[in-house]
Amino acid sequence: MSLPDHIPQAHLPPFEEVVSRHGTTVLKVCRALLGPVEADDAWSETFLAALRAYPALQPGSNLEAWLVTIAHRKAVDIHRVRGRNPIPTEKMPDPASTTGIPGEGDDELWAAVAELPFTQRAALVYHYVGGLPYAEIGTILGNSPAAARRAAADGRAALRRHIESGTGCRS
């Protein structure tokens, strides 16, 4: 059922008028929620979202409350993003290690690893600590994958001999 032609229908004002009438209130809300730095972005995002939704808005709606609700949602979004953004610092803190620092905890083993020739030590460290395959280890060491595998095998054998001589037992 439509209204008769002689009863005026409520129309929404032009969007530019809505911005000029309620822009200051929305900016105050954004500044109160976010501070002066992020308030301008929230204000802009509020009116961009409002512009997209404006044609579907019911005539007679409380425009100020509608805009403040949108501003609130935009402020919440910015607040959530703020919690995920990195914070610049002068010096990066040392990351916590889940596996420890090589050389800590088993001093005898790491002392024995340190006594190995460099190529054997590097092949063992790259494979067991770094998790690299022998093909990549060979490239890093400037030799073949077979040579890297041989160096690691020689290093393991030397470590085994060192441990057996220290404990008096053979495995």
Side-chain angles (χ1 to χ4, degrees):
M1 177 174 163
S2 63
L3 295 174
D5 291 335
H6 65 281
I7 299 178
Q9 294 180 343
H11 292 282
L12 291 172
F15 191 74
E16 297 81 20
E17 186 179 316
V18 172
V19 174
S20 63
R21 186 180 303 156
H22 302 290
T24 305
T25 302
V26 171
L27 184 59
K28 287 178 184 178
V29 168
C30 292
R31 283 186 178 165
L33 293 173
L34 297 169
V37 175
E38 295 168 316
D40 291 338
D41 289 339
W43 185 90
S44 298
E45 289 181 30
T46 297
F47 281 102
L48 285 173
L51 179 61
R52 284 190 291 275
Y54 192 65
L57 190 65
Q58 295 295 319
S61 296
N62 182 341
L63 295 175
E64 188 173 55
W66 177 68
L67 290 168
V68 168
T69 301
I70 295 171
H72 166 77
R73 291 180 182 146
K74 294 302 176 183
V76 168
D77 290 346
I78 290 172
H79 180 71
R80 286 179 182 152
V81 168
R82 183 190 307 158
R84 293 187 298 258
N85 284 343
I87 300 170
T89 61
E90 290 291 323
K91 181 179 179 275
M92 292 294 296
D94 292 330
S97 174
T98 59
T99 59
I101 299 172
E104 285 188 351
D106 195 349
D107 295 335
E108 182 181 347
L109 174 64
W110 285 105
V113 170
E115 292 174 10
L116 292 173
F118 176 78
T119 303
Q120 292 177 8
R121 180 174 63 236
L124 288 173
V125 168
Y126 295 154
H127 185 69
Y128 291 105
V129 176
L132 298 176
Y134 290 115
E136 290 183 36
I137 295 169
T139 303
I140 292 170
L141 295 177
N143 56 27
S144 67
R149 186 177 281 105
R150 178 78 262 161
D154 291 346
R156 280 191 304 274
L159 289 174
R160 218 176 267 117
R161 284 192 302 274
H162 176 79
I163 291 171
E164 288 172 357
S165 69
T167 62
C169 67
R170 302 198 78 187
S171 52

